Amino acid sequence: MEYFDFTDKVGYRTGKPFEFKYYNPDKIIMGKKMSEHLPFAMAWWHNLCAAGADMFGVGTADKSFGADVGTMAHARAKVDAGFEFMQKLGIKYFCFHDVDLVPEADDINETNRRLDEISDYILEKMQGTDIKCLWGTANMFGNPRYMNGAGSTNSADVYCFAAAQIKKALDITVKLGGRGYVFWGGREGYETLLNTDVKFEQENIAGLMHMAVDYGRKIGFKGDFYIEPKPKEPMKHQYDFDAATAIGFLRQYGLDKDFKMNIEANHATLAGHTFQHELRISAVNGMLGSVDANQGDYLLGWDTDEFPFNVYETTLAMYEILKAGGLTGGLNFDAKNRRPSYTAQDMFHAYILGMDAFALGLIKAAAIIEEGRVDKFITDRYSSFDGEIGRKIRNGQASLEELSDYACNMKKPDLPSSGRQEYLEYIVNNALFGE
Ligand code: XLS
Ligand code: CA
Ligand code: CA
């Protein structure tokens, strides 16, 4: 059965109603194919499951794909529709939570059996295509048992359920050849300190992660584990507030060798940072793994998960990614159509929008790097450290007394050189909009 019969494979500038204007997979940018720079992934949950329900109303989109929702026939139909969707868009990866793939049963043994069945089917569909799993995860936030978190729960029984879900999700991720495994700590946080032992909860989260690493490595998982930072929503305080916080946590508990960051654009802005900031902090700590490629709304204080269209942002994000030497993970569209955009055609337009926004961002970021003035400016900006005293400071050979003597001989330093921010912004605008 063909689910999206209104389009065949979406190509580059074909002149058809569904076409890419900028994403040209084989085009070489800075020595590498665009498709290699941009390992796009489909998020199973938004694209194949979510019908647009919000706090005030039910879904508007039909994601039944011709089957009864909540059945294994529906689970299979989603696989079929998902593979057709990815193949038509030339998307090579997908990401999933356990419960995106199958309806959860009352008995975890039955849920696990369903997961075995559907992952067999996905494996079968993968044969003969170049589609792979980018990352898997366990949904440890939706079911009421996780109201107080999974790793951070006050219930030892619930903690064991979380462990069982992680074990199974890891099995499936490895079976599907996943590059990564994500921990998003949606409910790992607290509402009030009056009922919370923060140290106890953080130790338990770390304990669960250690068990996941041990098990994953035992079954042959070679990829990275990821923490996906988010400051709030659903919890008031989430422990993985931002990249810097999550990296500190990983180091404190000895998890930094096995984990990297999965940076989501919308979570960055919720934390009061730019997307680029979170990418840079991850990169300079050697922990940039994967990206959830979406966009928030600066006027709204919650996670809107919009498809990225802001090319200024995608340019600066791709600048960070290029500078970091690329991603070992991918660019997962953890994004959803707006509720009134409810048709199957809208699903295609959303992905075309997002893929083109990142493709154009890549082209413009490469242009900024190749043009060279921004990088040169940064090098020059720190050139005072090329002198004798500067080199001593950088080499760790200076003492406080020596620097004090140096300063006292000088009496008063000149002002640092200008930051020239407007000049740099003008260069970026020229790359974006110049001739
Ligand atoms: C929710 C998160 C979630 C993670 C995976 O805000 O973005 O979807 O990516 O659990
Ligand atoms: Ca996400
Ligand atoms: Ca999100």
Side-chain angles (χ1 to χ4, degrees):
M1 173 168 174
E2 194 178 6
Y3 293 91
F4 310 104
D5 58 3
F6 48 83
T7 180
D8 41 22
K9 194 164 175 4
V10 178
Y12 172 68
R13 301 203 175 195
T14 56
K16 295 183 178 167
F18 296 89
E19 60 167 344
F20 295 116
K21 284 285 187 196
Y22 302 101
Y23 183 56
N24 185 4
D26 292 329
K27 186 183 161 86
I28 304 288
I29 306 267
M30 292 179 74
K32 229 163 77 174
K33 281 187 184 177
M34 249 193 183
S35 59
E36 290 164 36
H37 281 293
L38 304 168
F40 291 128
M42 178 191 76
W44 211 270
W45 54 103
H46 283 310
N47 206 43
L48 303 174
C49 309
D54 67 13
M55 303 263 276
F56 300 96
V58 298
T60 52
D62 179 1
K63 297 277 173 87
S64 67
F65 303 109
D68 287 336
V69 175
T71 62
M72 281 304 282
H74 181 229
R76 281 173 177 264
K78 287 195 294 184
V79 176
D80 294 339
F83 272 76
E84 184 189 327
F85 186 84
M86 288 185 277
Q87 279 174 304
K88 285 193 165 163
L89 282 162
I91 291 176
K92 304 272 168 51
Y93 296 95
F94 60 88
C95 300
F96 70 89
H97 302 82
D98 46 3
V99 301
D100 305 334
L101 300 182
V102 295
E104 196 176 358
D106 278 344
D107 177 342
I108 190 171
N109 296 294
E110 170 59 13
T111 309
N112 286 349
R113 194 204 58 75
R114 293 178 186 177
L115 283 167
D116 288 337
E117 181 187 325
I118 208 71
S119 50
D120 282 345
Y121 189 54
I122 295 174
L123 257 191
E124 215 177 279
K125 294 286 287 197
M126 281 165 70
Q127 323 255 287
T129 75
D130 49 4
I131 294 175
K132 298 179 219 58
C133 172
L134 181 64
W135 53 256
T137 187
N139 178 324
M140 304 194 300
F141 45 87
N143 191 294
R145 66 176 168 268
Y146 295 123
M147 65 174 79
N148 298 330
S152 61
T153 182
N154 57 314
S155 159
D157 286 356
V158 170
Y159 192 89
C160 294
F161 257 75
Q165 268 186 260
I166 294 169
K167 177 174 179 288
K168 193 68 189 174
L170 269 166
D171 288 339
I172 306 292
T173 303
V174 170
K175 178 170 168 182
L176 300 177
R179 280 189 179 190
Y181 183 87
V182 163
F183 280 86
W184 169 58
R187 305 234 181 237
E188 315 293 14
Y190 64 87
E191 296 294 330
T192 172
L193 286 174
L194 294 174
N195 65 14
T196 303
D197 184 335
V198 169
K199 188 163 184 284
F200 184 97
E201 295 197 355
Q202 292 202 337
E203 284 169 0
N204 275 1
I205 295 170
L208 196 57
M209 289 177 171
H210 270 293
M211 288 186 252
V213 170
D214 291 346
Y215 179 72
R217 298 306 179 212
K218 195 157 85 189
I219 62 168
F221 176 59
K222 302 252 176 346
D224 289 317
F225 289 86
Y226 300 127
I227 282 190
E228 182 181 325
K230 184 176 181 182
K232 56 188 168 188
E233 194 207 9
M235 294 308 251
K236 181 170 168 183
H237 300 272
Q238 278 172 215
Y239 293 133
D240 304 329
F241 188 93
D242 60 2
T245 312
I247 291 166
F249 171 88
L250 292 171
R251 291 197 177 133
Q252 185 182 351
Y253 292 103
L255 289 155
D256 48 312
K257 299 284 170 295
D258 293 282
F259 274 79
K260 288 193 165 71
M261 294 295 114
N262 180 39
I263 296 300
E264 179 175 317
N266 201 165
H267 298 179
T269 51
L270 284 176
H273 299 307
T274 59
F275 183 19
Q276 306 85 269
H277 168 90
E278 288 293 85
L279 295 170
R280 177 75 65 96
I281 294 298
S282 304
V284 298
N285 283 285
M287 286 203 195
L288 177 58
S290 207
V291 167
D292 272 9
N294 65 9
Q295 183 180 313
D297 187 317
Y298 293 116
L299 301 182
L300 301 176
W302 61 91
D303 194 10
T304 58
D305 285 347
E306 291 170 43
F307 277 88
F309 60 81
N310 184 333
V311 176
Y312 201 91
E313 298 289 326
T314 57
T315 298
L316 295 179
M318 286 313 301
Y319 176 83
E320 295 301 324
I321 291 170
L322 287 173
K323 284 285 181 185
L327 296 169
T328 47
L331 293 161
N332 167 44
F333 287 111
D334 189 357
K336 59 190 179 204
N337 284 93
R338 296 306 85 193
R339 191 166 180 263
S341 304
Y342 62 91
T343 68
Q345 285 82 352
D346 289 317
M347 290 165 68
F348 273 78
H349 282 305
Y351 270 75
I352 292 169
L353 171 72
M355 292 165 77
D356 260 352
F358 267 89
L360 190 50
L362 168 64
I363 294 168
K364 297 299 183 185
I368 292 168
I369 292 170
E370 281 168 344
E371 198 258 23
R373 276 187 289 171
V374 172
D375 287 343
K376 177 163 184 329
F377 181 80
I378 293 173
T379 309
D380 290 350
R381 187 159 185 246
Y382 296 93
S383 59
S384 69
F385 283 84
D386 295 343
E388 194 191 333
I389 196 75
R391 278 206 307 276
K392 273 193 166 174
I393 295 169
R394 295 293 293 158
N395 296 338
Q397 289 163 343
S399 70
L400 208 59
E401 296 95 308
E402 188 185 357
L403 300 193
S404 171
D405 290 347
Y406 180 90
C408 293
N409 282 335
M410 220 180 356
K411 299 192 178 71
K412 190 175 166 208
D414 293 337
L415 282 179
S417 61
S418 168
R420 300 187 75 190
Q421 183 170 333
E422 298 75 10
Y423 159 74
L424 296 163
E425 288 166 343
Y426 154 92
I427 292 173
V428 171
N429 268 8
N430 268 307
L432 281 165
F433 306 111
E435 293 304 304

